[in-house]
Amino acid sequence: MENSVSNNLEKGIQLDFEKEMSYGDYLRLDQILTGQHRLSDHHDEMLFIIIHQTSELWMKLILHELHAAIDCIQKNELEPSFKMLSRVSRIQQQLIQSWSVLSTLTPAEYMEFRDKLGHSSGFQSFQNRLIEFALGNKNARTLAVYEHQPEVYPLLTKSLKEPSIYDAAISALSKHGLKVDEKALNRDWTQNYEPNESVEEAWLTVYRNTDQYWDLYELAEKLVDIGNQQQLWRFNHMTTVERIIGHKMGTGGSSGVNYLKKVLDHQFFPELLSLRTKL
C-alpha cells in the first residue's frame, strides 16, 4: 500500500528505542507479563492467576494512599487526605468489580486445577492483611501465617503496632478540641478497635455542627465510604467463593464460605455507623 502505517505516523513520534527508555521499559513489562505460570494445562487457570495478581497491584496502591493519608491526618492536615481517601474508594470499586470477572469461572472448570494450588489461599495475602490493619482490624494471631517470609513479617509486625487510620481520625477529634477519653487516644494499637462512648459523642458533635467542623465531617464521610467498600469487597468475595466451590473447605484450611461470612460481622469505624441512629 502506498499509504503505509509508517507513512501516516506523525514525524515527531519516537521510533528508535535502542538507547531510549520505552513504555515497556518504564513499566517493566518484561517482568510483569512473564509472571503468569500455570501449574496445569487448563485454559482458565490464567484467569485465576491474573485476577489475583492485578488485585495485589491495586492493594499496593491502596496501601500507598492509606499510609500517606494517615500521615496527613496525624499532622492535622486533613484536606490533602481527602483526595487520597477518595482514590482508595475508587480502587476498592475496581477490586469489587474483579469478582464478577472471576465468577465467569465455573465450579467444574475450577476443579480442573484447584488441587494445584496446594494450601495457598487468598487468606495469606499480606497486603490485604496490611489493609485490614490500617483500617483498624487488628489480629496478632494472623501473623503466624507470615513467619516464613522474612521480608514480609516485619512489615506486618510494624503495622500491627501502629495506629490505624481510625485511630488517627480519633486523635484529630481531640486536636480540634472535642472531648475524647484518654483510653481511646492512647490505647494498645495491637488490639482490634472497640467502640467508645466518648468517640461517638465527639462524632455526634461534628455531625450536628458540620459548618464548624466541616473538615472532620468530610473525613468521617470518606472513612464511611472506605468502610462500606471494604465490606462490599468482603461480601462479593464470599458470594463468588460460594458460587464456585460451594461450602467446601478453603485451600488454606479455613471453613471457606462460613469463615468469610463471619468476617462480614466485623465493622469498620463503628461510631460512624452507630451515630446515625442518634442523629
Side-chain angles (χ1 to χ4, degrees), residues 38-105:
R38 288 183 292 168
L39 298 180
S40 73
D41 294 326
H42 198 277
H43 172 83
D44 291 322
E45 189 182 355
M46 184 63 77
L47 163 69
F48 191 82
I49 292 170
I50 289 177
I51 284 289
H52 289 85
Q53 286 183 337
T54 53
S55 293
E56 290 294 334
L57 284 172
W58 282 124
M59 288 180 192
K60 183 172 183 176
L61 185 53
I62 284 177
L63 288 166
H64 178 70
E65 300 296 340
L66 277 179
H67 290 153
I70 290 171
D71 185 57
C72 285
I73 296 167
Q74 288 176 329
K75 293 177 180 177
N76 207 26
E77 298 172 358
L78 301 189
E79 286 194 18
S81 74
F82 298 156
K83 182 174 181 179
M84 299 165 189
L85 297 178
S86 292
R87 185 173 290 162
V88 168
S89 64
R90 297 292 182 90
I91 298 166
Q92 289 174 308
Q93 290 170 19
Q94 294 291 325
L95 286 168
I96 291 166
Q97 180 61 27
S98 71
W99 292 122
S100 67
V101 181
L102 187 60
S103 68
T104 64
L105 180 68

Side-chain angles (χ1 to χ4, degrees), residues 19-43:
K19 297 181 180 180
E20 297 284 343
M21 181 177 66
S22 70
Y23 172 83
D25 295 333
Y26 175 69
L27 296 177
R28 299 190 180 185
L29 293 181
D30 57 330
Q31 297 177 34
I32 294 174
L33 299 179
T34 55
Q36 296 72 45
H37 304 287
R38 288 183 292 168
L39 298 180
S40 73
D41 294 326
H42 198 277
H43 172 83

Side-chain angles (χ1 to χ4, degrees), residues 119-172:
H119 291 295
S120 63
S121 164
F123 176 83
Q124 298 148 18
S125 167
F126 80 90
Q127 291 199 121
N128 184 52
R129 189 64 54 200
L130 285 171
I131 290 170
E132 292 276 331
F133 282 4
L135 297 181
N137 184 19
K138 304 287 186 76
N139 186 341
R141 290 184 61 194
T142 60
L143 266 63
V145 176
Y146 311 98
E147 286 182 347
H148 70 292
Q149 296 177 275
E151 71 285 1
V152 166
Y153 189 76
L155 292 176
L156 286 153
T157 302
K158 181 175 180 289
S159 180
L160 182 73
K161 296 176 180 179
E162 292 177 335
S164 70
I165 195 165
Y166 194 47
D167 292 313
I170 291 170
S171 180

Side-chain angles (χ1 to χ4, degrees), residues 97-254:
Q97 180 61 27
S98 71
W99 292 122
S100 67
V101 181
L102 187 60
S103 68
T104 64
L105 180 68
T106 68
E109 290 163 348
Y110 182 48
M111 288 303 112
E112 291 290 324
F113 63 86
R114 187 179 190 240
D115 64 321
K116 300 293 185 182
L117 303 180
H119 291 295
S120 63
S121 164
F123 176 83
Q124 298 148 18
S125 167
F126 80 90
Q127 291 199 121
N128 184 52
R129 189 64 54 200
L130 285 171
I131 290 170
E132 292 276 331
F133 282 4
L135 297 181
N137 184 19
K138 304 287 186 76
N139 186 341
R141 290 184 61 194
T142 60
L143 266 63
V145 176
Y146 311 98
E147 286 182 347
H148 70 292
Q149 296 177 275
E151 71 285 1
V152 166
Y153 189 76
L155 292 176
L156 286 153
T157 302
K158 181 175 180 289
S159 180
L160 182 73
K161 296 176 180 179
E162 292 177 335
S164 70
I165 195 165
Y166 194 47
D167 292 313
I170 291 170
S171 180
L173 289 172
S174 179
K175 289 174 184 176
H176 280 73
L178 294 161
K179 187 177 179 180
V180 178
D181 287 348
E182 186 66 22
K183 62 182 179 181
L185 292 171
N186 294 295
R187 65 186 194 85
D188 182 354
W189 310 126
T190 67
Q191 300 300 307
N192 190 36
Y193 179 80
E194 296 293 337
N196 180 284
E197 186 177 350
S198 72
V199 173
E200 183 182 68
E201 286 300 318
W203 284 124
L204 275 167
T205 300
V206 169
Y207 274 73
R208 287 168 176 158
N209 302 275
T210 55
D211 290 342
Q212 182 180 353
Y213 299 106
W214 182 262
D215 281 357
L216 288 170
Y217 175 62
E218 184 75 6
L219 173 62
E221 286 300 293
K222 297 294 185 190
L223 292 178
V224 171
D225 286 343
I226 289 172
N228 284 348
Q229 296 288 358
Q230 192 70 2
Q231 284 290 61
L232 284 172
W233 182 86
R234 288 168 163 183
F235 179 78
N236 282 25
H237 183 190
M238 181 270 293
T239 56
T240 302
V241 170
E242 187 173 41
R243 174 172 176 161
I244 296 175
I245 69 167
H247 286 259
K248 292 184 181 70
M249 181 177 287
T251 50
S254 75

